[in-house]
Amino acid sequence: MPPTLHTARLLLAPYTPDDEEDFVALFQDTRVSRWMGDGPSPEADDRALFGRIFSKVYARDLFDVWAVRRDGRLVGHAEIKRTDEVDGHEIVYALSPASWGSGLGTELAEALVAYGFGTLGLTEVHATVAAENEASLRLLGRIGFAHVRDIEEDDGGFTRVLTARRRRLGAGSGPR
């Protein structure tokens, strides 16, 4: 099970079985799911995905997956996992449209990056974003991600691979 993380306004905690309806509602919202994986899925697939969080991901401690809550309500989804696509650890996050435009996406992404660098000890954290998802590309750019390459998808579209590198203090850069 992943540890519980706190930001100024968000709580990232393991999912509970009671979260299924809110999880499915988040992933069934096409404004969200159009940017996730291969896009919108049938409701039954999203329910099966929710079940696999418990039966596989948590049961086998495969990677960290969180329910994202604000004021006790599920408002998003977050994960960090190793993927072959980026040959490293990738952050994945989604927020309900009601949460967009309030800085919560930045807060969530920064928390995932800090967890990757701090708790997991990574030197790089990656994200993959559809080329058309300008809001996510801007957000990640603002918090230090740089575009490193593109992946051409089967449908002719492109996915941007972005990377954030942990900054190290060089010799002589400390306090004087």
Side-chain angles (χ1 to χ4, degrees), residues 61-120:
D61 198 23
L62 296 179
F63 54 90
D64 295 313
V65 177
W66 295 274
V68 179
R69 299 181 199 287
R70 182 174 189 198
D71 300 327
R73 287 187 357 263
L74 187 120
V75 296
H77 170 87
E79 53 190 73
I80 187 167
K81 62 184 175 185
R82 178 157 178 70
T83 64
D84 291 338
E85 192 169 43
V86 297
D87 192 26
H89 281 74
E90 178 178 359
I91 62 170
V92 177
Y93 58 92
L95 286 171
S96 64
S99 300
W100 295 355
S102 62
L104 291 176
T106 299
E107 201 171 305
L108 178 55
E110 286 176 334
L112 293 172
V113 171
Y115 177 78
F117 290 157
T119 303
L120 299 181

Coordinates of all heavy atoms in Angstrom, one line a residue, residues 61-120:
D61 N 2.0 -5.2 -4.3 CA 2.8 -4.0 -4.1 C 3.6 -3.6 -5.3 O 4.8 -3.5 -5.3 CB 3.8 -4.2 -2.9 CG 4.4 -2.9 -2.4 OD1 3.7 -1.9 -2.6 OD2 5.5 -3.0 -1.8
L62 N 2.8 -3.6 -6.5 CA 3.4 -3.3 -7.8 C 3.9 -1.9 -7.9 O 5.0 -1.7 -8.5 CB 2.4 -3.7 -8.9 CG 2.0 -5.1 -9.0 CD1 1.0 -5.3 -10.1 CD2 3.2 -6.1 -9.1
F63 N 3.1 -0.9 -7.6 CA 3.5 0.5 -7.6 C 2.5 1.3 -6.8 O 1.6 0.7 -6.3 CB 3.5 1.0 -9.1 CG 2.3 0.8 -9.9 CD1 1.3 1.7 -10.0 CD2 2.1 -0.4 -10.7 CE1 0.1 1.5 -10.7 CE2 1.0 -0.6 -11.5 CZ 0.0 0.3 -11.5
D64 N 2.8 2.6 -6.7 CA 1.9 3.4 -5.8 C 0.8 4.0 -6.6 O 1.0 4.7 -7.6 CB 2.8 4.5 -5.2 CG 3.8 3.9 -4.2 OD1 3.5 3.0 -3.4 OD2 5.0 4.3 -4.4
V65 N -0.4 3.8 -6.1 CA -1.7 4.4 -6.6 C -2.5 5.0 -5.5 O -2.7 4.3 -4.5 CB -2.5 3.3 -7.3 CG1 -3.8 3.8 -7.9 CG2 -1.8 2.6 -8.4
W66 N -2.9 6.2 -5.7 CA -3.7 6.9 -4.7 C -5.0 7.4 -5.2 O -5.2 7.9 -6.3 CB -2.9 8.2 -4.3 CG -1.6 7.9 -3.6 CD1 -1.4 7.7 -2.3 CD2 -0.3 8.0 -4.2 NE1 -0.1 7.6 -2.0 CE2 0.6 7.7 -3.2 CE3 0.2 8.1 -5.5 CZ2 2.0 7.7 -3.4 CZ3 1.5 8.1 -5.7 CH2 2.4 7.9 -4.7
A67 N -6.0 7.5 -4.3 CA -7.2 8.3 -4.4 C -6.8 9.7 -4.0 O -6.1 9.9 -3.0 CB -8.3 7.8 -3.5
V68 N -7.2 10.7 -4.8 CA -6.9 12.1 -4.4 C -8.1 12.7 -3.9 O -9.2 12.7 -4.5 CB -6.4 12.8 -5.7 CG1 -6.1 14.3 -5.3 CG2 -5.1 12.1 -6.3
R69 N -8.1 13.2 -2.6 CA -9.2 13.8 -2.0 C -9.0 15.2 -1.6 O -7.9 15.6 -1.3 CB -9.5 13.0 -0.7 CG -9.8 11.6 -0.9 CD -10.2 10.8 0.4 NE -10.0 9.4 0.2 CZ -10.9 8.6 -0.4 NH1 -11.9 9.1 -1.0 NH2 -10.6 7.3 -0.5
R70 N -10.1 16.0 -1.7 CA -10.1 17.4 -1.2 C -11.3 17.5 -0.3 O -12.4 17.2 -0.8 CB -10.1 18.4 -2.3 CG -10.1 19.8 -1.8 CD -10.0 20.8 -2.9 NE -9.7 22.1 -2.2 CZ -9.9 23.3 -2.9 NH1 -10.3 23.3 -4.1 NH2 -9.7 24.4 -2.2
D71 N -11.1 18.0 0.9 CA -12.2 18.1 1.9 C -13.1 16.8 2.0 O -14.3 16.9 2.0 CB -13.2 19.3 1.4 CG -12.4 20.6 1.4 OD1 -11.5 20.8 2.2 OD2 -12.7 21.4 0.6
G72 N -12.4 15.7 2.0 CA -13.0 14.4 2.2 C -13.6 13.8 0.9 O -14.1 12.6 0.9
R73 N -13.7 14.5 -0.2 CA -14.3 14.0 -1.4 C -13.2 13.6 -2.4 O -12.2 14.2 -2.6 CB -15.1 15.1 -2.1 CG -16.4 15.5 -1.4 CD -17.2 16.5 -2.2 NE -16.6 17.0 -3.4 CZ -16.0 18.1 -3.5 NH1 -15.8 18.9 -2.5 NH2 -15.5 18.5 -4.7
L74 N -13.5 12.5 -3.1 CA -12.6 12.0 -4.2 C -12.6 13.0 -5.3 O -13.7 13.2 -5.9 CB -12.9 10.6 -4.6 CG -11.9 10.0 -5.6 CD1 -11.3 8.7 -5.0 CD2 -12.5 9.7 -6.9
V75 N -11.5 13.6 -5.7 CA -11.5 14.6 -6.8 C -10.5 14.1 -7.8 O -10.4 14.8 -8.9 CB -11.1 16.0 -6.3 CG1 -12.2 16.5 -5.4 CG2 -9.8 16.0 -5.6
G76 N -9.8 13.0 -7.6 CA -8.8 12.6 -8.6 C -8.1 11.3 -8.3 O -8.5 10.6 -7.4
H77 N -7.2 11.0 -9.2 CA -6.4 9.7 -9.2 C -5.0 10.1 -9.4 O -4.7 11.0 -10.2 CB -7.0 8.9 -10.4 CG -6.2 7.7 -10.6 ND1 -6.4 6.5 -10.0 CD2 -5.1 7.4 -11.5 CE1 -5.5 5.6 -10.4 NE2 -4.8 6.1 -11.3
A78 N -4.1 9.3 -8.8 CA -2.6 9.6 -9.0 C -1.9 8.3 -8.9 O -2.3 7.4 -8.1 CB -2.1 10.6 -8.0
E79 N -0.8 8.2 -9.6 CA 0.1 7.0 -9.5 C 1.5 7.4 -10.0 O 1.7 8.4 -10.7 CB -0.4 5.9 -10.3 CG -0.7 6.1 -11.7 CD -1.5 5.0 -12.4 OE1 -2.7 4.8 -12.2 OE2 -0.9 4.3 -13.2
I80 N 2.5 6.6 -9.5 CA 3.8 6.7 -10.0 C 4.3 5.2 -10.2 O 4.1 4.4 -9.3 CB 4.8 7.5 -9.1 CG1 6.1 7.7 -9.8 CG2 4.8 6.9 -7.7 CD1 7.0 8.7 -9.1
K81 N 4.8 5.0 -11.4 CA 5.2 3.6 -11.7 C 6.2 3.5 -12.8 O 6.4 4.4 -13.6 CB 3.9 2.8 -12.2 CG 3.3 3.3 -13.5 CD 2.1 2.5 -13.8 CE 1.4 3.1 -15.0 NZ 0.1 2.5 -15.3
R82 N 7.0 2.4 -12.7 CA 8.0 2.2 -13.7 C 7.3 1.7 -15.0 O 6.4 0.9 -15.0 CB 9.0 1.2 -13.3 CG 10.0 0.9 -14.3 CD 11.3 0.3 -13.7 NE 12.3 0.0 -14.8 CZ 12.9 0.9 -15.5 NH1 12.7 2.2 -15.3 NH2 13.7 0.5 -16.5
T83 N 7.7 2.3 -16.2 CA 7.1 1.9 -17.4 C 8.2 1.8 -18.5 O 9.2 2.5 -18.4 CB 6.1 2.9 -18.0 OG1 6.7 4.1 -18.3 CG2 4.9 3.1 -17.0
D84 N 8.1 0.8 -19.3 CA 9.1 0.6 -20.4 C 9.0 1.8 -21.4 O 10.0 2.1 -22.0 CB 8.8 -0.7 -21.1 CG 9.2 -1.9 -20.2 OD1 9.9 -1.8 -19.3 OD2 8.6 -3.0 -20.5
E85 N 7.8 2.3 -21.6 CA 7.7 3.4 -22.5 C 8.6 4.6 -22.3 O 9.1 5.2 -23.2 CB 6.2 3.9 -22.5 CG 5.9 4.8 -23.7 CD 4.4 5.1 -23.7 OE1 3.7 5.3 -22.7 OE2 3.8 5.0 -24.9
V86 N 8.9 4.9 -21.0 CA 9.8 5.9 -20.7 C 11.1 5.4 -20.1 O 12.0 6.2 -19.8 CB 9.2 7.0 -19.7 CG1 8.0 7.6 -20.4 CG2 8.9 6.3 -18.4
D87 N 11.2 4.1 -19.9 CA 12.4 3.5 -19.3 C 12.8 4.1 -18.0 O 13.9 4.5 -17.7 CB 13.6 3.5 -20.3 CG 14.7 2.6 -19.8 OD1 14.5 1.6 -19.1 OD2 15.9 2.9 -20.2
G88 N 11.7 4.3 -17.2 CA 11.9 4.9 -15.9 C 10.5 5.0 -15.2 O 9.6 4.4 -15.6
H89 N 10.5 5.9 -14.2 CA 9.2 6.1 -13.4 C 8.4 7.2 -14.0 O 8.9 8.3 -14.3 CB 9.5 6.3 -12.0 CG 9.9 5.1 -11.2 ND1 11.1 4.4 -11.4 CD2 9.1 4.4 -10.3 CE1 11.1 3.4 -10.6 NE2 9.9 3.3 -9.9
E90 N 7.1 6.9 -14.2 CA 6.2 7.9 -14.8 C 5.1 8.3 -13.8 O 4.6 7.4 -13.1 CB 5.6 7.2 -16.1 CG 4.6 8.1 -16.8 CD 4.0 7.4 -18.0 OE1 4.4 6.2 -18.3 OE2 3.1 8.0 -18.6
I91 N 4.8 9.6 -13.8 CA 3.7 10.0 -13.0 C 2.4 10.0 -13.9 O 2.5 10.3 -15.1 CB 3.9 11.4 -12.3 CG1 4.1 12.5 -13.4 CG2 5.1 11.3 -11.4 CD1 4.1 13.9 -12.8
V92 N 1.3 9.7 -13.3 CA 0.0 9.7 -13.9 C -0.9 10.3 -13.0 O -0.9 10.0 -11.8 CB -0.5 8.2 -14.3 CG1 -1.8 8.3 -14.9 CG2 0.5 7.5 -15.2
Y93 N -1.7 11.3 -13.4 CA -2.7 11.9 -12.5 C -3.9 12.4 -13.3 O -3.8 12.7 -14.5 CB -2.1 13.1 -11.7 CG -1.5 14.1 -12.6 CD1 -2.2 15.2 -13.0 CD2 -0.2 14.1 -13.1 CE1 -1.7 16.2 -13.8 CE2 0.4 15.1 -13.9 CZ -0.4 16.1 -14.2 OH 0.1 17.1 -15.0
A94 N -5.0 12.5 -12.7 CA -6.2 13.0 -13.3 C -7.0 13.7 -12.2 O -7.1 13.2 -11.0 CB -7.0 11.9 -13.9
L95 N -7.7 14.8 -12.5 CA -8.5 15.5 -11.6 C -9.9 15.7 -12.2 O -10.0 15.8 -13.5 CB -8.0 16.9 -11.2 CG -6.8 16.9 -10.3 CD1 -6.2 18.3 -10.2 CD2 -7.2 16.4 -8.9
S96 N -10.9 15.7 -11.4 CA -12.3 16.0 -11.9 C -12.3 17.4 -12.5 O -11.6 18.3 -12.0 CB -13.3 15.8 -10.8 OG -13.1 16.8 -9.8
P97 N -13.1 17.6 -13.6 CA -13.2 18.9 -14.2 C -13.6 20.0 -13.2 O -13.1 21.2 -13.4 CB -14.2 18.7 -15.3 CG -14.1 17.3 -15.7 CD -13.8 16.6 -14.4
A98 N -14.3 19.7 -12.2 CA -14.7 20.7 -11.2 C -13.5 21.3 -10.5 O -13.5 22.4 -9.9 CB -15.7 20.2 -10.2
S99 N -12.3 20.5 -10.5 CA -11.1 20.9 -9.8 C -10.1 21.6 -10.7 O -9.1 22.1 -10.3 CB -10.4 19.7 -9.2 OG -11.3 19.0 -8.3
W100 N -10.4 21.7 -12.0 CA -9.5 22.3 -13.0 C -9.4 23.8 -12.8 O -10.4 24.5 -12.3 CB -10.0 22.0 -14.4 CG -9.9 20.6 -14.8 CD1 -9.4 19.5 -14.1 CD2 -10.4 20.0 -16.0 NE1 -9.6 18.3 -14.8 CE2 -10.1 18.6 -16.0 CE3 -11.0 20.6 -17.2 CZ2 -10.5 17.8 -17.0 CZ3 -11.3 19.7 -18.2 CH2 -11.0 18.3 -18.1
G101 N -8.3 24.4 -13.1 CA -8.1 25.8 -13.1 C -7.9 26.4 -11.7 O -7.9 27.6 -11.5
S102 N -7.7 25.6 -10.7 CA -7.6 26.1 -9.3 C -6.2 25.9 -8.7 O -6.0 26.1 -7.6 CB -8.6 25.4 -8.4 OG -8.4 24.0 -8.4
G103 N -5.3 25.4 -9.6 CA -3.9 25.1 -9.1 C -3.7 23.7 -8.5 O -2.6 23.3 -8.1
L104 N -4.8 22.9 -8.4 CA -4.7 21.6 -7.8 C -3.9 20.6 -8.6 O -3.2 19.8 -8.1 CB -6.1 21.0 -7.5 CG -6.9 21.7 -6.4 CD1 -8.3 21.1 -6.3 CD2 -6.2 21.6 -5.1
G105 N -3.9 20.8 -9.9 CA -3.1 19.9 -10.8 C -1.6 20.1 -10.5 O -0.9 19.2 -10.5
T106 N -1.3 21.4 -10.4 CA 0.1 21.7 -10.1 C 0.5 21.1 -8.7 O 1.6 20.5 -8.6 CB 0.4 23.2 -10.1 OG1 0.0 23.7 -11.4 CG2 1.8 23.6 -9.8
E107 N -0.3 21.3 -7.8 CA -0.1 20.8 -6.4 C 0.1 19.3 -6.4 O 1.0 18.7 -5.8 CB -1.3 21.2 -5.5 CG -1.0 21.2 -4.1 CD -2.2 21.8 -3.3 OE1 -2.6 23.0 -3.6 OE2 -2.7 21.2 -2.4
L108 N -0.8 18.6 -7.2 CA -0.8 17.2 -7.3 C 0.5 16.7 -8.0 O 1.2 15.8 -7.5 CB -2.0 16.7 -8.0 CG -2.1 15.2 -8.2 CD1 -2.0 14.4 -6.9 CD2 -3.5 14.9 -8.9
A109 N 0.8 17.3 -9.1 CA 2.0 16.9 -9.9 C 3.3 17.1 -9.1 O 4.2 16.3 -9.0 CB 2.1 17.6 -11.2
E110 N 3.3 18.3 -8.4 CA 4.5 18.6 -7.5 C 4.7 17.5 -6.4 O 5.8 17.1 -6.1 CB 4.4 20.0 -7.0 CG 4.7 21.0 -8.0 CD 4.5 22.5 -7.4 OE1 3.7 22.7 -6.5 OE2 5.1 23.4 -8.0
A111 N 3.6 17.1 -5.8 CA 3.6 16.1 -4.8 C 4.1 14.8 -5.3 O 4.9 14.1 -4.7 CB 2.2 15.9 -4.2
L112 N 3.7 14.4 -6.5 CA 4.2 13.1 -7.1 C 5.7 13.2 -7.4 O 6.4 12.2 -7.2 CB 3.4 12.8 -8.4 CG 1.9 12.5 -8.1 CD1 1.2 12.4 -9.5 CD2 1.7 11.2 -7.3
V113 N 6.1 14.3 -8.0 CA 7.5 14.5 -8.3 C 8.4 14.4 -7.0 O 9.4 13.8 -6.9 CB 7.8 15.8 -9.1 CG1 9.3 16.1 -9.2 CG2 7.1 15.7 -10.4
A114 N 7.9 15.2 -6.0 CA 8.6 15.2 -4.7 C 8.7 13.8 -4.1 O 9.8 13.4 -3.5 CB 8.0 16.1 -3.7
Y115 N 7.6 13.0 -4.2 CA 7.6 11.6 -3.7 C 8.6 10.8 -4.5 O 9.4 10.0 -3.9 CB 6.2 11.0 -3.8 CG 6.1 9.6 -3.4 CD1 6.1 9.3 -2.0 CD2 6.1 8.6 -4.3 CE1 6.0 7.9 -1.7 CE2 5.9 7.3 -4.0 CZ 5.9 7.0 -2.6 OH 5.8 5.6 -2.2
G116 N 8.7 11.0 -5.8 CA 9.6 10.2 -6.6 C 11.0 10.5 -6.3 O 11.9 9.6 -6.1
F117 N 11.4 11.8 -6.1 CA 12.7 12.2 -5.8 C 13.1 11.9 -4.4 O 14.2 11.3 -4.1 CB 12.9 13.7 -6.1 CG 12.9 14.1 -7.5 CD1 12.6 15.4 -7.9 CD2 13.2 13.2 -8.5 CE1 12.6 15.8 -9.2 CE2 13.2 13.5 -9.9 CZ 12.9 14.9 -10.2
G118 N 12.2 12.2 -3.4 CA 12.5 12.0 -2.0 C 12.3 10.6 -1.5 O 13.3 9.9 -1.2
T119 N 11.1 10.1 -1.6 CA 10.8 8.7 -1.0 C 11.4 7.6 -1.9 O 12.0 6.7 -1.3 CB 9.3 8.5 -0.8 OG1 8.8 9.6 0.0 CG2 9.0 7.2 -0.2
L120 N 11.3 7.7 -3.2 CA 11.8 6.6 -4.1 C 13.2 6.8 -4.4 O 13.8 5.9 -5.0 CB 10.9 6.5 -5.3 CG 9.4 6.2 -5.1 CD1 8.7 6.1 -6.4 CD2 9.2 4.9 -4.3

